[in-house]
């Protein structure tokens, strides 16, 4: 889209250009992985003050991240102003495993990257229970003939 706008010579207002280039998405882009018993979430956030422009909270096993980046009003009014940087407020919520404690979360900001490290709770071995599906009504190809009754499953309660 950007190449088309440049080649056509159209003067497109900055907010419209950003929308056309897909910058209207209000969510933060993340990188997430697990390192041992720690969940690591990384977000590129250059040009912010992490003490005033970032809010991180945990609520009901969900990590909420909100970040703001303000556009310099002095630059916007200058002739020929163009910015491809993302401004405004963006947020992201990440579901955490049950039992994560807010005390086990550390957030750092270095070289424009916000890194959040979440200490994961010890997980007991999960048990998987297989649920059997019972066919009811209707006849499918390869099913039972009309005079036959379907076999009752072993664990079927009547």
């Amino acid at each position: 889209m950007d190449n088309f706008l440049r080649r056509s010579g159209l003067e497109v207002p900055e907010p419209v250009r950003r929308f056309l280039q897909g910058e209207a998405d209000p969510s933060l882009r993340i990188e997430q992985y697990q390192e041992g018993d720690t969940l690591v979430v990384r977000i590129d956030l250059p040009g912010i003050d992490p003490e005033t422009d970032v809010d991180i909270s945990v609520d009901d096993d969900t990590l909420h991240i909100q970040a703001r980046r303000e556009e310099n009003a002095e630059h916007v009014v200058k002739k020929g102003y163009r910015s491809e940087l993302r401004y405004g407020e963006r947020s992201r919520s990440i579901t955490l495993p049950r039992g994560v404690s807010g005390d086990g979360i550390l957030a750092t900001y270095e070289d424009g990257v916000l890194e959040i490290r979440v200490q994961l709770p010890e997980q007991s071995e999960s048990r998987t229970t297989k649920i059997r599906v019972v066919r009811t009504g209707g006849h499918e190809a390869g099913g039972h003939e009309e005079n036959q009754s379907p076999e009752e499953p072993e664990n079927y309660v009547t």
Side-chain angles (χ1 to χ4, degrees):
M1 178 62 71
D2 192 39
N3 287 339
F4 171 75
L5 294 175
R6 264 192 265 147
R7 280 190 234 146
S8 67
L10 294 174
E11 270 303 309
V12 179
E14 198 64 22
V16 174
R17 184 195 59 76
R18 288 181 187 165
F19 175 77
L20 292 173
Q21 291 179 328
E23 295 181 23
D25 181 11
S27 64
L28 290 167
R29 305 281 186 214
I30 66 167
E31 177 179 68
Q32 177 179 326
Y33 56 91
Q34 192 168 333
E35 239 177 36
D37 58 354
T38 301
L39 175 69
V40 180
V41 178
R42 295 172 47 93
I43 307 164
D44 285 338
L45 290 172
I48 65 159
D49 179 351
E51 294 176 4
T52 60
D53 298 336
V54 176
D55 293 314
I56 302 170
S57 63
V58 176
D59 180 38
D60 293 331
D61 297 326
T62 303
L63 176 68
H64 301 283
I65 309 160
Q66 190 169 16
R68 291 169 295 287
R69 183 173 185 186
E70 301 286 328
E71 192 166 19
N72 187 336
E74 293 175 14
H75 295 203
V76 175
V77 295
K78 291 183 180 178
K79 184 177 178 179
Y81 176 75
R82 176 183 176 87
S83 175
E84 295 182 1
L85 304 176
R86 291 187 173 211
Y87 295 101
E89 193 167 292
R90 304 209 182 276
S91 62
R92 186 68 178 256
S93 293
I94 300 167
T95 303
L96 299 172
R98 188 169 302 211
V100 167
S101 166
D103 296 334
I105 300 176
L106 173 67
T108 58
Y109 183 80
E110 184 177 347
D111 296 332
V113 177
L114 175 67
E115 182 175 281
I116 304 168
R117 299 180 78 78
V118 180
Q119 185 67 41
L120 299 173
E122 287 187 31
Q123 298 292 318
S124 58
E125 200 171 303
S126 65
R127 293 177 46 198
T128 302
T129 304
K130 179 119 172 111
I131 307 299
R132 183 172 182 186
V133 178
V134 178
R135 183 186 306 244
T136 59
H139 296 287
E140 298 288 325
H144 301 284
E145 292 188 21
E146 288 182 30
N147 296 345
Q148 295 178 336
S149 63
E151 294 178 21
E152 281 194 17
E154 298 166 14
N155 58 351
Y156 186 76
V157 179
T158 56

